[in-house]
Each structure stands twice: as C-alpha cells, then as structure tokens.
Tab-separated table of all heavy atoms in Angstrom:
chain	number	residue	atom	x	y	z
A	48	LYS	N	124.232	86.244	40.617
A	48	LYS	CA	123.363	85.447	41.471
A	48	LYS	C	123.255	86.121	42.832
A	48	LYS	O	124.204	86.751	43.301
A	48	LYS	CB	123.872	84.021	41.602
A	48	LYS	CG	125.214	83.901	42.258
A	48	LYS	CD	125.637	82.463	42.366
A	48	LYS	CE	126.919	82.441	43.189
A	48	LYS	NZ	127.415	81.178	43.493
A	49	THR	N	122.115	85.976	43.440
A	49	THR	CA	121.919	86.561	44.758
A	49	THR	C	121.774	85.447	45.771
A	49	THR	O	121.200	84.406	45.491
A	49	THR	CB	120.668	87.465	44.806
A	49	THR	OG1	119.537	86.674	44.473
A	49	THR	CG2	120.787	88.622	43.857
A	50	THR	N	122.298	85.692	46.967
A	50	THR	CA	122.231	84.683	48.022
A	50	THR	C	121.852	85.319	49.345
A	50	THR	O	122.318	84.938	50.383
A	50	THR	CB	123.607	83.995	48.186
A	50	THR	OG1	124.576	85.014	48.454
A	50	THR	CG2	123.980	83.213	46.967
A	51	ASP	N	121.024	86.347	49.297
A	51	ASP	CA	120.714	87.094	50.503
A	51	ASP	C	119.253	87.022	50.870
A	51	ASP	O	118.796	86.008	51.337
A	51	ASP	CB	121.144	88.544	50.315
A	51	ASP	CG	120.583	89.081	49.029
A	51	ASP	OD1	119.381	88.928	48.800
A	51	ASP	OD2	121.337	89.633	48.230
A	52	ALA	N	118.527	88.115	50.661
A	52	ALA	CA	117.136	88.193	51.097
A	52	ALA	C	116.291	87.094	50.463
A	52	ALA	O	115.388	86.571	51.091
A	52	ALA	CB	116.557	89.569	50.763
A	53	ALA	N	116.587	86.747	49.218
A	53	ALA	CA	115.807	85.714	48.565
A	53	ALA	C	115.974	84.368	49.271
A	53	ALA	O	115.074	83.548	49.275
A	53	ALA	CB	116.225	85.596	47.104
A	54	SER	N	117.138	84.145	49.864
A	54	SER	CA	117.361	82.880	50.556
A	54	SER	C	117.308	83.045	52.070
A	54	SER	O	117.673	82.142	52.795
A	54	SER	CB	118.712	82.306	50.151
A	54	SER	OG	119.746	83.170	50.566
A	55	ALA	N	116.846	84.196	52.532
A	55	ALA	CA	116.743	84.433	53.975
A	55	ALA	C	115.732	83.466	54.561
A	55	ALA	O	114.831	83.004	53.876
A	55	ALA	CB	116.310	85.870	54.239
A	56	PRO	N	115.861	83.160	55.834
A	56	PRO	CA	114.918	82.227	56.442
A	56	PRO	C	113.495	82.741	56.333
A	56	PRO	O	113.255	83.943	56.325
A	56	PRO	CB	115.367	82.170	57.904
A	56	PRO	CG	116.339	83.267	58.098
A	56	PRO	CD	116.814	83.706	56.764
A	57	ALA	N	112.577	81.817	56.231
A	57	ALA	CA	111.165	82.199	56.156
A	57	ALA	C	110.803	82.982	57.418
A	57	ALA	O	111.391	82.793	58.468
A	57	ALA	CB	110.303	80.949	56.047
A	58	ALA	N	109.828	83.862	57.273
A	58	ALA	CA	109.426	84.693	58.405
A	58	ALA	C	109.041	83.837	59.593
A	58	ALA	O	108.273	82.888	59.471
A	58	ALA	CB	108.249	85.578	57.997
A	59	ALA	N	109.602	84.177	60.712
A	59	ALA	CA	109.281	83.461	61.939
A	59	ALA	C	107.909	83.909	62.409
A	59	ALA	O	107.446	84.991	62.072
A	59	ALA	CB	110.328	83.758	63.006
A	60	THR	N	107.280	83.063	63.179
A	60	THR	CA	105.985	83.459	63.702
A	60	THR	C	106.156	83.983	65.113
A	60	THR	O	106.998	83.510	65.859
A	60	THR	CB	105.001	82.271	63.697
A	60	THR	OG1	105.562	81.221	64.478
A	60	THR	CG2	104.727	81.797	62.293
A	61	ALA	N	105.373	84.975	65.451
A	61	ALA	CA	105.384	85.502	66.806
A	61	ALA	C	104.764	84.446	67.710
A	61	ALA	O	103.802	83.785	67.323
A	61	ALA	CB	104.597	86.804	66.864
A	62	PRO	N	105.307	84.254	68.899
A	62	PRO	CA	104.799	83.223	69.802
A	62	PRO	C	103.300	83.361	70.031
A	62	PRO	O	102.806	84.444	70.317
A	62	PRO	CB	105.578	83.467	71.101
A	62	PRO	CG	106.786	84.242	70.700
A	62	PRO	CD	106.391	85.021	69.479
A	63	GLY	N	102.584	82.246	69.861
A	63	GLY	CA	101.156	82.228	70.125
A	63	GLY	C	100.304	82.885	69.059
A	63	GLY	O	99.112	83.097	69.270
A	64	LYS	N	100.878	83.213	67.921
A	64	LYS	CA	100.125	83.890	66.858
A	64	LYS	C	100.113	83.009	65.605
A	64	LYS	O	101.123	82.432	65.227
A	64	LYS	CB	100.780	85.236	66.489
A	64	LYS	CG	101.098	86.132	67.669
A	64	LYS	CD	99.898	86.874	68.143
A	64	LYS	CE	100.210	87.925	69.159
A	64	LYS	NZ	100.464	87.482	70.495
A	65	SER	N	98.974	82.935	64.945
A	65	SER	CA	98.878	82.176	63.702
A	65	SER	C	99.474	83.015	62.571
A	65	SER	O	99.503	84.249	62.655
A	65	SER	CB	97.419	81.844	63.389
A	65	SER	OG	96.747	83.018	62.946
A	66	PRO	N	99.946	82.357	61.493
A	66	PRO	CA	100.472	83.124	60.351
A	66	PRO	C	99.454	84.128	59.796
A	66	PRO	O	99.819	85.226	59.404
A	66	PRO	CB	100.813	82.043	59.327
A	66	PRO	CG	101.112	80.822	60.161
A	66	PRO	CD	100.159	80.917	61.330
A	67	ASP	N	98.160	83.746	59.776
A	67	ASP	CA	97.132	84.673	59.288
A	67	ASP	C	97.013	85.897	60.187
A	67	ASP	O	96.882	87.025	59.716
A	67	ASP	CB	95.769	83.983	59.190
A	67	ASP	CG	95.692	83.017	58.011
A	67	ASP	OD1	96.529	83.133	57.087
A	67	ASP	OD2	94.795	82.157	58.022
A	68	GLU	N	97.061	85.673	61.514
A	68	GLU	CA	96.972	86.792	62.458
A	68	GLU	C	98.176	87.717	62.312
A	68	GLU	O	98.032	88.938	62.311
A	68	GLU	CB	96.884	86.274	63.896
A	68	GLU	CG	96.709	87.376	64.912
A	68	GLU	CD	96.632	86.871	66.349
A	68	GLU	OE1	96.557	85.656	66.562
A	68	GLU	OE2	96.660	87.727	67.248
A	69	ILE	N	99.354	87.127	62.154
A	69	ILE	CA	100.568	87.933	61.958
A	69	ILE	C	100.454	88.751	60.679
A	69	ILE	O	100.758	89.942	60.664
A	69	ILE	CB	101.819	87.044	61.941
A	69	ILE	CG1	102.055	86.472	63.341
A	69	ILE	CG2	103.048	87.828	61.478
A	69	ILE	CD1	103.103	85.394	63.395
A	70	ALA	N	99.982	88.137	59.602
A	70	ALA	CA	99.825	88.846	58.326
A	70	ALA	C	98.854	90.016	58.473
A	70	ALA	O	99.112	91.110	57.965
A	70	ALA	CB	99.355	87.884	57.243
A	71	LYS	N	97.754	89.802	59.179
A	71	LYS	CA	96.774	90.877	59.390
A	71	LYS	C	97.364	92.012	60.213
A	71	LYS	O	97.154	93.183	59.918
A	71	LYS	CB	95.513	90.331	60.081
A	71	LYS	CG	94.653	89.492	59.175
A	71	LYS	CD	93.457	88.933	59.926
A	71	LYS	CE	92.694	87.956	59.053
A	71	LYS	NZ	91.629	87.275	59.782
A	72	ARG	N	98.125	91.657	61.268
A	72	ARG	CA	98.725	92.685	62.130
A	72	ARG	C	99.790	93.467	61.360
A	72	ARG	O	99.902	94.681	61.507
A	72	ARG	CB	99.299	92.039	63.387
A	72	ARG	CG	98.196	91.516	64.313
A	72	ARG	CD	98.696	90.661	65.428
A	72	ARG	NE	99.482	91.426	66.377
A	72	ARG	CZ	100.187	90.877	67.360
A	72	ARG	NH1	100.203	89.573	67.512
A	72	ARG	NH2	100.883	91.624	68.186
A	73	ARG	N	100.583	92.773	60.537
A	73	ARG	CA	101.590	93.471	59.727
A	73	ARG	C	100.921	94.392	58.707
A	73	ARG	O	101.380	95.504	58.482
A	73	ARG	CB	102.508	92.466	59.022
A	73	ARG	CG	103.514	91.860	59.958
A	73	ARG	CD	104.562	91.074	59.206
A	73	ARG	NE	105.561	90.615	60.154
A	73	ARG	CZ	106.130	89.437	60.134
A	73	ARG	NH1	105.847	88.579	59.184
A	73	ARG	NH2	107.020	89.113	61.046
A	74	ALA	N	99.842	93.920	58.098
A	74	ALA	CA	99.121	94.762	57.132
A	74	ALA	C	98.559	95.995	57.811
A	74	ALA	O	98.612	97.103	57.263
A	74	ALA	CB	98.005	93.955	56.474
A	75	ALA	N	98.049	95.839	59.030
A	75	ALA	CA	97.505	96.983	59.764
A	75	ALA	C	98.579	98.015	60.063
A	75	ALA	O	98.294	99.213	60.131
A	75	ALA	CB	96.851	96.517	61.071
A	76	LEU	N	99.829	97.580	60.230
A	76	LEU	CA	100.944	98.499	60.464
A	76	LEU	C	101.515	99.056	59.161
A	76	LEU	O	102.422	99.874	59.181
A	76	LEU	CB	102.060	97.788	61.239
A	76	LEU	CG	101.773	97.518	62.714
A	76	LEU	CD1	102.863	96.602	63.279
A	76	LEU	CD2	101.714	98.809	63.493
A	77	GLY	N	101.012	98.571	58.034
A	77	GLY	CA	101.550	99.027	56.740
A	77	GLY	C	102.837	98.311	56.377
A	77	GLY	O	103.653	98.852	55.637
A	78	LEU	N	103.019	97.089	56.880
A	78	LEU	CA	104.266	96.364	56.642
A	78	LEU	C	104.133	95.304	55.559
A	78	LEU	O	105.120	94.662	55.234
A	78	LEU	CB	104.745	95.683	57.936
A	78	LEU	CG	105.059	96.620	59.085
A	78	LEU	CD1	105.332	95.827	60.344
A	78	LEU	CD2	106.243	97.490	58.739
A	79	ASP	N	102.941	95.101	55.016
A	79	ASP	CA	102.799	94.060	54.012
A	79	ASP	C	103.459	94.490	52.711
A	79	ASP	O	103.709	95.655	52.470
A	79	ASP	CB	101.321	93.697	53.777
A	79	ASP	CG	100.485	94.894	53.337
A	79	ASP	OD1	100.983	96.029	53.412
A	79	ASP	OD2	99.334	94.683	52.930
A	80	ASP	N	103.791	93.513	51.880
A	80	ASP	CA	104.502	93.797	50.620
A	80	ASP	C	103.712	94.706	49.704
A	80	ASP	O	104.295	95.468	48.943
A	80	ASP	CB	104.845	92.497	49.900
A	80	ASP	CG	105.886	91.690	50.643
A	80	ASP	OD1	106.663	92.310	51.400
A	80	ASP	OD2	105.928	90.460	50.478
A	81	ALA	N	102.396	94.652	49.749
A	81	ALA	CA	101.590	95.517	48.900
A	81	ALA	C	101.798	96.983	49.214
A	81	ALA	O	101.622	97.839	48.362
A	81	ALA	CB	100.110	95.158	49.043
A	82	ALA	N	102.217	97.278	50.446
A	82	ALA	CA	102.433	98.671	50.845
A	82	ALA	C	103.711	99.239	50.252
A	82	ALA	O	103.911	100.435	50.230
A	82	ALA	CB	102.470	98.785	52.367
C-alpha cells in the first residue's frame, strides 16, 4: 500500500489565481502531467 504522493494534499492554488489559470500556466512551463 502507498501512503505518499497519492494521498498528498491537493495542489494549492497560487494567491489570486484560478485553478484554470494555474493549469494553463503550468502547461505553458511543461509541468502538466501530459508532459
């Protein structure tokens, strides 16, 4: 059984940024899971 990354806290949001905006900015940096 694993109790680490799978149970890690959900991604925090950057102050003043919507989850969609954060996802777009992460994708632009090549940080999204698809990368």
Side-chain angles (χ1 to χ4, degrees):
K48 63 179 187 175
T49 60
T50 57
D51 51 50
S54 64
T60 58
K64 310 280 189 283
S65 74
D67 286 342
E68 183 180 352
I69 291 170
K71 287 178 187 173
R72 290 169 68 189
R73 284 190 175 140
L76 287 170
L78 298 172
D79 58 349
D80 292 335

